[in-house]
Amino acid sequence: MSFNKFTSPLRTLISSSASRIFNAAPAPPSVTGNPLAGSSRAASSFASLGDLSPVKGSTQHETRYGRGPGSTKGGTSGRGHKGQKARAGKGVRLGFEGGQTPLHRKVPKRGFINFTSKTYAPLSISTLQSFISEGRIDPSEPITVGTVVRSNAVHGLSHLSGVKLLGEPNPDLPLPPLNLELSRYSKGAAEYILQAGGQVSAVYHNNLGLRKEVFPDKFLLRDIKDAKPTRKTDILYYTNPKKYGYLASSIPTSARNMSPEQWVEGQSSVSASASE
């Protein structure tokens, strides 16, 4: 007598009962009292948190070295056998060619990079006019570097040294008398502002001074004085009345003819008069 003869009725009973459990028609909500009965949420009640998994490709396991040959990174951990690159502190420096003259030494140098040069963000007079007409800049108050940056007429000064006024005014827009305190001006742009009855003043800012102009809220509780120019070219520029330097009125003589001691004495006298 075959053993399957006794197990087949049991198999049939289990399969029929399982089909009745999973394929039975859901009871109406009025019978069960559950408004979600008979919906897809009731059918998904067999799922659990253990069935959840991240989307394929969204996670990546860290490579484990030295954990057997099946990982392809076992034994020598992907370094190969012996040699300079298999030791601690493996490898050689970038550009090393085994001791021979490397390529970057064979090629001659070309050009020159002036590390003292400065780059200024350009600001045209027409852009300034349009921002004033739109009400984004108040012409009755002094227009500084911070005013221009916060109005988005110039975007960011992280890698720049200030703002320079350039260009010609737009004849279709009004040009009111303005009080500008920017970093530099072109000769023509400054003349247009002066002809309109305005004032121009070239003001020096270091990196900290620029941050103070752009983010004044961060310096409310910090007593930081505005820095004076220290390089010779900056001193000559901002003490020159022809360049509209803001130090031209406070320096009695030309900075070109002043010694370093006289420059320091002049700065101390100016600060003393300002405090009085």
Side-chain angles (χ1 to χ4, degrees), residues 7-210:
T7 58
S8 57
L10 181 61
R11 220 179 267 144
T12 304
L13 178 62
I14 293 175
S15 61
S16 61
S17 60
S19 62
R20 284 196 303 270
I21 292 173
F22 291 100
N23 298 328
S30 59
V31 176
T32 59
N34 185 6
L36 297 178
S39 63
S40 59
R41 293 188 65 176
S44 63
S45 61
F46 295 101
S48 63
L49 293 177
D51 299 330
L52 301 179
S53 61
V55 180
K56 184 178 180 181
S58 62
T59 58
Q60 185 175 0
H61 296 286
E62 184 179 358
T63 303
R64 302 181 67 202
Y65 295 94
R67 293 299 183 270
S71 64
T72 69
K73 298 295 181 183
T76 56
S77 300
R79 293 192 180 189
H81 294 278
K82 299 184 179 179
Q84 186 176 11
K85 295 182 180 180
R87 311 302 180 185
K90 61 176 182 176
V92 294
R93 66 179 181 274
L94 185 64
F96 183 72
E97 299 182 12
Q100 68 180 8
T101 304
L103 180 64
H104 70 272
R105 291 182 60 189
K106 292 180 181 178
V107 178
K109 297 179 181 179
R110 291 288 185 269
F112 170 73
I113 298 176
N114 186 4
F115 68 94
T116 63
S117 64
K118 296 183 178 181
T119 305
Y120 296 90
L123 174 65
S124 63
I125 300 180
S126 59
T127 302
L128 196 60
Q129 288 177 278
S130 62
F131 274 61
I132 292 174
S133 62
E134 294 173 0
R136 303 173 67 175
I137 295 179
D138 187 4
S140 61
E141 298 181 356
I143 300 176
T144 62
V145 174
T147 305
V148 173
V149 175
R150 288 192 297 272
S151 65
N152 283 334
V154 172
H155 299 280
L157 292 176
S158 59
H159 61 285
L160 302 175
S161 302
V163 178
K164 184 174 182 179
L165 188 69
L166 304 170
E168 300 179 356
N170 188 353
D172 299 332
L173 295 175
L175 181 59
L178 304 174
N179 184 9
L180 300 181
E181 297 179 359
L182 304 180
S183 302
R184 298 200 174 188
Y185 308 86
S186 66
K187 185 177 181 180
E191 291 178 355
Y192 284 120
I193 300 297
L194 295 175
Q195 291 174 2
Q199 300 177 359
V200 293
S201 177
V203 182
Y204 170 80
H205 295 291
N206 59 357
N207 293 335
L208 184 61
L210 286 176

